Structure formats: C-alpha cells, structure tokens
Amino acid sequence: MEVYTTEEQQVEVIKNWWKENGTSVIAGTVIGLVALFGWRYYNEHQQSNQEAASQAYNQLTQTLAKGDDAAFAQAQSFIAEHKGESYSELAALQLAAAAVKAGKLDLAAEQLTRVVAEGDESVQPIAALRLARVLGDQGKFDEAQAQLDKISNDAFKAQVAEVRGDLLLKQGKPEEARDAYQAAADAGGLQASPELKLKMDDLALPAATAGAPDA
C-alpha cells in the first residue's frame, strides 16, 4: 500500500479523489436523504390516512344506527372509497347488520357476498355465516348451505353447525336440526352460544316411559 509521507501529497490525493468522485458522492447523499425523508413522509401520510379512516368509520357506525336510506347510502360511499382496506370490510359488515334490521335483505346479502369473495381471510368466515342466515331468511336454503360449506376454519365449527341446524329447522326438518345442534354442542358451542341450549331443549326427545303401562 502506498504511503504518503508529506501533508502536501495527502492533500493532493484527496483533491484528485474528490475531483473524480465528488459528484457521485453528493448524488448518493442526496438520493439517500430523499429516500429517508420520503419514507418518513410516506409513513406519516399512511398513519394520517388510517386515523382519518378510523374517525370516519366510527362516525359511520353511529350514523347506521339510524337505519335510514341516507345512512345506507353514506355507508356504501365509505365502502367504495376505502375499497381494499379493512375499514371497508368492517363497514360492509355493519351495513349488512343494519340492513337486516331494516328488512333490506337484498342489500345485506350484497354486502356480505362481497366480503366473502374479496375480504380478508379473518373476516370471510364471519361474513359467510351471516350471509347463510340472510339467505335462509330469504328462503334460499341451498345457497345458504353452500355458504356454510365454504367455511373450513375449525374455529368456526360450532357456529357452522348451529347455523346449519337453524336452516334445517326452517325447512321443517327437526330431526336433522337436532343432530346439527348436537354437533355444535360437541364442538364447544354451548360455551359461546347460550341460545344453543334452548334450541336443543326445544327439540329434545321425550324421555322413555319406564315400565309397561297399567292394564
């Protein structure tokens, strides 16, 4: 390695190196600073958008409590504006729930169908369960059962069985409904759904009569 014995030689080398490489060094520094501040701006912008979306969503849930057409229209606008975001899916679930209360089953089914098809995996089973109930209320039992068949997550096994029982009961099939409710109970449904015990009691078989009847 070359050794520079005088300060003049060292200064001359630095000058020559800077002359050859100074431009690229400055450019690299500028690019690095732009990237750094650009990333910070992006993160701050994303956080700001999330906070705004959160506030808008909270306001929307309060508006939906009114259950009128204006509230439904506002919710649909919010869902379209935030398409692809979690708040859009949550708003769709809220809109569907409000629509069911208002007797607008077609609107509820439309929102839930979209979440089932396009939503995050964490909310798809919830939407499918609710959609099955709505379709059952519309008398579309085959479609409702098909929605339940799509749910493969074992965490929803009990809920799927209970909703399946509800659908079978609506179709006048109490024996099959009882079996479905029992399957829900076996999957731990009694802890999550107090109503399940009542449904099972309503369909319980009468106790066998002990001994032969008196002559």
Side-chain angles (χ1 to χ4, degrees):
M1 187 172 93
E2 184 178 358
V3 177
Y4 302 106
T5 59
T6 67
E7 293 183 2
E8 290 79 2
Q9 287 176 316
Q10 293 175 4
V11 170
E12 190 63 29
V13 169
I14 293 172
K15 286 181 179 179
N16 291 335
W17 182 90
W18 184 259
K19 190 180 297 182
E20 294 175 1
N21 302 287
T23 302
S24 60
V25 170
I26 293 174
T29 302
V30 170
I31 292 173
L33 289 173
V34 169
L36 175 62
F37 286 105
W39 178 249
R40 287 181 178 176
Y41 172 78
Y42 173 79
N43 284 336
E44 292 173 357
H45 181 67
Q46 288 292 97
Q47 183 177 356
S48 177
N49 285 345
Q50 285 294 318
E51 291 175 353
S54 176
Q55 293 178 358
Y57 172 75
N58 290 333
Q59 292 176 355
L60 180 63
T61 57
Q62 297 175 8
T63 301
L64 278 173
K66 300 177 182 178
D68 55 24
D69 291 339
F72 294 157
Q74 182 177 339
Q76 288 175 297
S77 296
F78 177 91
I79 292 168
E81 181 180 349
H82 294 274
K83 185 176 181 180
E85 301 176 13
S86 59
Y87 282 113
S88 176
E89 297 168 11
L90 294 174
L93 294 178
Q94 293 288 345
L95 173 55
V100 168
K101 291 181 180 180
K104 297 180 179 292
L105 298 183
D106 288 341
L107 175 59
E110 174 188 344
Q111 296 302 315
L112 293 171
T113 298
R114 186 185 64 80
V115 177
V116 170
E118 304 173 6
D120 185 83
E121 292 181 358
S122 62
V123 298
Q124 283 179 330
I126 299 172
L129 281 169
R130 296 184 183 184
L131 179 56
R133 291 187 182 279
V134 171
L135 292 171
D137 290 340
Q138 292 178 312
K140 301 176 181 179
F141 298 112
D142 290 341
E143 294 181 36
Q145 294 285 1
Q147 289 298 325
L148 295 179
D149 292 339
K150 294 179 181 179
I151 304 174
S152 58
N153 191 328
D154 288 341
F156 293 89
K157 188 174 182 179
Q159 296 178 59
V160 168
E162 182 175 357
V163 174
R164 200 182 300 278
D166 294 343
L167 294 173
L168 290 167
L169 192 59
K170 286 183 178 181
Q171 295 176 78
K173 301 177 180 179
E175 294 83 5
E176 295 179 48
R178 182 169 56 245
D179 292 341
Y181 290 147
Q182 185 60 55
D186 293 342
L190 291 173
Q191 288 74 27
S193 174
E195 294 83 4
L196 178 58
K197 181 65 167 59
L198 298 176
K199 296 174 184 178
M200 296 178 70
D201 289 344
D202 288 341
L203 295 177
L205 293 172
T209 303
D214 294 336

